[in-house]
Amino acid sequence: MSPLFQLLWGDPDRAGSVAAALDDGAWRAVNRQAAQHRLRPLLHDRATMGGWAMPEWLAHDWAVSHRRSAMRALRQRVELVRIAQAFAPHGLGAVVLKGGAFVWRDGHDPALRPLRDLDLLIPEGQAAQAAAILTSLGYVAGAEAHDEHAKHLPPMTARNVTVELHLHLLDTHDPAAAAREAAFIARFRDRTGPCPIAPGLDIPAGSDTLLHLIVHAVLDHQFNNGPLLIADMAGLIEAGRIDWSTFWAEAEALNCVRACQLALTMGEAAAGLPVDWQHHRRSEERR
């Protein structure tokens, strides 16, 4: 198993032994991988708690990365509140997606899960209005043209925070998949609750966020977004907010059971995630 995985999700005593055995070249390789996948703040946290033996330059770099991530999370939180206040008078039904749906709750440290941007699901009929409100707040869209088949409008940025207004949750490639996604979004919205840090916005149920993150990582991006998925799954599952019956029922409705099995098996093997398979483990299916 990769040293990066052992350091992040192995037994704490074993992680300390792995750290002590790494030479400078190995640490540099771990650092390159961690930087690529936004894992340096999390490694800083693990190293601090574990008292790892490691190069001083790297400990300093990871501490700086953690502080920068904390400041970025604070800016994003401020912007989320600003957006919620601007949307409220217009009754815009925005739902905070992906990492933004859980990093500010259940005792999570937002600095440990850096967000590239804030993802908001907007009803399709309100997208133009939502974009206009963001423009009034100083947000500027990038130069890229809008693809009518894309899940979200072109990203908009202000004050070093980027927002993506989503019209869809999943990539769909045929009418049947589009119909399944539309039905899922309706059920998804019925299960949302209030955002704890930005009144007026909503967040999905934990099981829906878990399913969305898995489908996004496995099917939409073929794991190109890296091992941060394991940290996300761990944070969601360990918070105890997963309704596994709903999770598997929705996975079946969306024809994505195999993707969920792949991601959760990986999480179980790498991080010991306590998965409630409910007879969806591959070995159980073959019986």
Side-chain angles (χ1 to χ4, degrees):
M1 184 180 292
S2 163
L4 179 65
F5 279 60
Q6 293 177 304
L7 292 171
L8 284 172
W9 296 297
D11 174 84
D13 292 335
R14 174 62 178 159
S17 298
V18 170
L22 297 179
D23 60 19
D24 189 74
W27 277 118
R28 290 183 184 278
V30 166
N31 189 44
R32 285 194 298 272
Q33 295 167 358
Q36 180 182 6
H37 296 297
R38 294 177 283 162
L39 291 168
R40 290 195 295 181
L42 186 58
L43 281 165
H44 166 74
D45 181 70
R46 299 289 192 268
T48 301
M49 290 193 300
W52 295 348
M54 59 185 296
E56 289 187 11
W57 67 265
L58 185 56
H60 175 265
D61 282 0
W62 285 359
V64 170
S65 180
H66 180 269
R67 287 196 297 272
R68 287 176 176 167
S69 183
M71 292 302 296
R72 182 182 180 88
L74 183 58
R75 290 196 301 271
Q76 290 170 327
R77 177 171 180 155
V78 169
E79 288 302 309
L80 204 58
V81 172
R82 191 194 308 272
I83 292 167
Q85 292 173 343
F87 280 4
H90 305 277
L92 283 168
V95 182
V96 187
L97 303 175
K98 301 181 186 176
F102 65 87
V103 298
W104 287 291
R105 66 185 309 193
D106 295 324
H108 290 290
D109 179 354
L112 304 186
R113 204 295 190 183
L115 304 176
R116 285 198 178 103
D117 45 48
L118 298 174
D119 297 278
L120 301 176
L121 178 66
I122 306 290
E124 191 165 359
Q126 297 179 331
Q129 184 181 23
I133 292 172
L134 289 186
T135 299
S136 74
L137 295 176
Y139 281 83
V140 177
E144 66 182 81
H146 175 52
D147 179 355
E148 63 178 339
H149 301 295
K151 288 184 292 188
H152 56 78
L153 302 182
M156 303 181 71
T157 302
R159 295 169 288 278
N160 294 318
V161 173
T162 298
V163 175
E164 289 185 350
L165 297 176
H166 284 248
L167 308 180
H168 300 281
L169 294 175
L170 314 172
D171 285 338
T172 56
H173 304 287
D174 57 64
R180 287 194 297 269
E181 189 226 19
F184 172 61
I185 288 177
R187 297 189 298 270
F188 174 98
R189 283 189 170 277
D190 285 342
R191 290 188 288 263
T192 59
C195 179
I197 66 160
L201 300 181
D202 289 323
I203 56 173
S207 52
D208 289 331
T209 293
L210 178 63
L211 181 61
H212 183 213
L213 285 169
I214 289 174
V215 172
H216 177 73
V218 179
L219 298 181
D220 295 352
H221 289 279
Q222 293 78 52
F223 288 108
N224 282 344
N225 46 1
L228 192 62
L229 173 64
I230 297 177
D232 287 349
M233 292 191 299
L236 284 162
I237 292 172
E238 291 168 3
R241 292 181 177 271
I242 306 303
D243 179 336
W244 288 103
S245 295
T246 298
F247 174 86
W248 289 114
E250 291 293 2
E252 290 175 354
L254 290 170
N255 287 350
C256 63
V257 169
R258 290 289 185 266
C260 294
Q261 289 171 326
L262 179 58
L264 291 170
T265 298
M266 180 180 68
E268 190 178 55
L273 297 188
V275 179
D276 183 351
W277 291 99
Q278 298 198 356
H279 306 297
H280 285 86
R281 191 189 293 272
R282 291 298 300 274
S283 59
E284 294 173 345
E285 287 185 341
R286 289 193 290 268
R287 291 176 184 171

